[in-house]
Amino acid sequence: MPAAVDPDTATLTSLLTALPSSAHGVESVDRLMVWLPDHTGEYVVVLGPNLPIEEAVTLCERLRVSRPTISVVLVRHTLETHDLTAAMKAGARDVVTYDDHTALTGAVRRAHELYVALRGPTGALHTGKIVTVFSPKGGVGKTTMAVNLALALTDRGARRVCLVDLDLAFGDVAITLQLFPTHSIEQAVGSEDTLDEQMLTGLLTRHHDSLMVLAAPSHPDVHERITSALVQRVLRTLQESFDYVVVDTAPAFDEQTLAALDETDECVIVATLDVPTLKNVKVALETLEMLNVAQGHRHLLLNRADDAVGIGPDKVETILGMKVVTQIATAMDIAASTNAGNPIVSGSPGHPSSVALRRLATLLAGEPAAPDQPVLDASPGSEKPDKAERSSRRFKIRR
Ligand SMILES: Nc1ncnc2c1ncn2[C@@H]1O[C@H](COP(=O)(O)OP(=O)(O)OP(=O)(O)O)[C@@H](O)[C@H]1O
Ligand SMILES: [Mg+2]
């Protein structure tokens, strides 16, 4: 997917409109350099008109040697001969003017053709991971954890993440992030067979340069019109353009949640230290096992883990037969940051909860756990069934 760099947000937004809908925008070369190593299929970098020419030329020279399959397209307000000469010498593939979106679109298309010729047609294929945050109980912190985890997974712009609010009746992801979406999954109703990346991109709300949100409908009654086939289509489509798709869920095995679980690569189960929640989480874990959801990729997150209620994390592990992979204490800062619309991972990166959530993000990203970390759920058969096998499963459970 193309990446565009410009320090000015309005310019960046304008550039992105001329690029394929999966394009990623960052405001500095430093951020781009964090993004590129994780995106081996990158084929074009568009350098916006507000990036100083010296910086653009240096980057061209760097990429020409280190990533020769990436084309650099330089965008300038006006075409100056000395800029053109310097850019071409440094290896830029194209130079276009800012007001000529058609030229930019053409340059990006040619970059893709070149990439395909160099790497083969499958070189640009991309499949992101689906991470679902689930609990059978309400109010345990699913949304709080999903939002913070999604932000942690962006790794300050290095990865593209989409957060999907599948609490379709009472979703509060948007409000938690202080977003005011103009579109939601509601506009995709009826598009089970036709939804594509471009249409879906139009339904997303941008929170931060690498966190996009697919909001829940604003009215609870729309819930029933969102079919499991649509949920499947939405998630598979998002997977093609995002590195991670984080799904926040309703506290029930409703058909939409089941459809999401069926697509899930990594499942985070949220529990708290009270007996009714633990009883329901136990039943939920048995159900996930029976349905073969995310076998070997289920992670238990204990929220409010310090509540002095006579049950400790050890007891939880015994009751649930599963290791607690992440513990988050009760903290006023978490609730306050949620109320302020600035989740703790962004607002207080040094807070112990933020550190714990970033660690969980690292684990979900498949990077090795530090030796002192609790181990992952070691349920048998940690091989995940492939997509075709998983999609052939059909759920029989009803609420
Ligand atoms: N560790 C924590 N410390 C303090 N407050 C917390 C903590 N975790 C969550 N909260 C607060 O608890 C409330 C409920 O959290 P949240 O909305 O994330 O739960 P939920 O499981 O998504 O609920 P629902 O099932 O209704 O969607 C929120 O006000 C949130 O700020
Ligand atoms: Mg919630």
Side-chain angles (χ1 to χ4, degrees):
M1 69 194 74
V5 189
D6 197 285
D8 178 63
T9 309
T11 307
L12 191 56
T13 307
S14 163
L15 285 174
L16 290 173
T17 61
L19 302 180
S21 52
S22 56
H24 177 61
V26 290
E27 77 269 11
S28 68
V29 168
D30 284 352
R31 280 208 167 189
L32 179 76
M33 296 321 280
V34 176
W35 152 269
L36 284 178
D38 279 344
H39 296 84
T40 48
E42 186 56 272
Y43 64 93
V44 67
V45 168
V46 174
L47 303 179
N50 299 305
L51 198 70
I53 187 70
E54 300 74 25
E55 219 179 318
V57 165
T58 307
L59 181 63
C60 282
E61 275 167 353
R62 225 169 132 181
L63 291 179
R64 182 167 55 92
V65 182
S66 62
R67 297 284 295 271
T69 54
I70 296 181
S71 297
V72 176
V73 177
L74 191 63
V75 183
R76 298 283 96 185
H77 286 297
T78 52
L79 295 183
E80 305 291 344
T81 313
H82 62 276
D83 287 357
L84 275 174
T85 314
M88 289 306 173
K89 262 191 194 158
R93 194 82 58 192
D94 256 304
V95 183
V96 299
T97 52
Y98 179 55
D99 55 7
D100 192 350
H101 276 193
T102 311
L104 177 55
T105 307
V108 169
R109 196 194 56 247
R110 284 193 297 280
H112 189 254
E113 285 165 4
L114 180 65
Y115 178 84
V116 171
L118 290 170
R119 293 278 298 264
T122 55
L125 282 185
H126 177 276
T127 312
K129 261 189 188 174
I130 297 180
V131 177
T132 301
V133 180
F134 177 72
S135 178
K137 275 297 253 191
V140 294
K142 294 180 295 300
T143 302
T144 308
M145 298 308 141
V147 165
N148 280 289
L149 197 54
L151 286 166
L153 278 167
T154 66
D155 196 12
R156 286 164 294 138
R159 307 191 191 105
R160 262 174 72 86
V161 180
C162 183
L163 177 55
V164 177
D165 194 346
L166 264 200
D167 187 349
L168 295 165
F170 299 106
D172 40 22
V173 164
I175 197 82
T176 302
L177 288 165
Q178 284 199 346
L179 297 174
F180 303 96
T182 51
H183 294 88
S184 74
I185 194 169
E186 180 176 353
Q187 282 73 39
V189 166
S191 312
E192 285 81 354
D193 298 325
T194 51
L195 186 79
D196 62 12
E197 193 184 322
Q198 195 174 3
M199 175 180 174
L200 194 47
T201 304
L203 306 185
L204 304 180
T205 307
R206 178 179 289 267
H207 168 257
H208 166 302
D209 63 2
S210 54
L211 179 62
M212 301 296 275
V213 171
L214 181 61
S218 48
H219 295 290
D221 52 345
V222 177
H223 176 209
E224 288 165 12
R225 292 163 53 212
I226 295 175
T227 61
S228 48
L230 180 61
V231 171
Q232 183 192 66
R233 179 95 178 199
V234 164
L235 296 180
R236 290 188 179 183
T237 306
L238 288 173
Q239 223 178 351
E240 285 169 19
S241 40
F242 288 90
D243 299 315
Y244 292 91
V245 180
V246 179
V247 185
D248 184 24
T249 53
F253 279 116
D254 57 20
E255 70 168 302
Q256 297 89 351
T257 301
L258 286 168
L261 288 168
D262 198 22
E263 297 299 311
T264 294
D265 296 295
E266 307 287 339
C267 185
V268 176
I269 298 121
V270 184
T272 50
L273 292 170
D274 57 285
V275 171
T277 299
L278 291 174
K279 179 220 127 207
N280 286 331
V281 168
K282 177 124 185 112
V283 174
L285 286 171
E286 287 164 5
T287 307
L288 295 176
E289 179 68 22
M290 190 178 83
L291 296 172
N292 204 20
V293 168
Q295 272 268 355
H297 294 260
R298 299 196 284 262
H299 317 285
L300 183 60
L301 185 157
L302 191 58
N303 192 19
R304 302 181 178 276
D306 58 336
D307 284 355
V309 288
I311 309 174
D314 293 356
K315 189 85 178 280
V316 169
E317 291 185 347
T318 309
I319 294 170
L320 299 180
M322 182 177 181
K323 290 278 180 195
V324 172
V325 74
T326 301
Q327 297 185 30
I328 305 289
T330 299
M332 278 309 293
D333 296 343
I334 295 179
S337 61
T338 301
N339 288 342
N342 188 21
I344 191 121
V345 158
S346 304
S348 306
H351 192 279
S353 311
S354 306
V355 175
L357 284 159
R358 279 203 307 277
R359 266 185 157 196
L360 178 59
T362 305
L363 279 174
L364 298 178
E367 290 156 31
D372 62 339
Q373 275 185 304
V375 293
L376 292 175
D377 170 23
S379 50
S382 63
E383 273 303 294
K384 189 156 63 73
D386 66 22
K387 269 271 129 84
E389 189 187 332
R390 285 189 291 146
S391 64
S392 71
R393 276 190 258 130
R394 283 291 159 257
F395 292 111
K396 301 282 188 297
I397 288 191
R398 289 286 174 269
R399 250 205 282 192

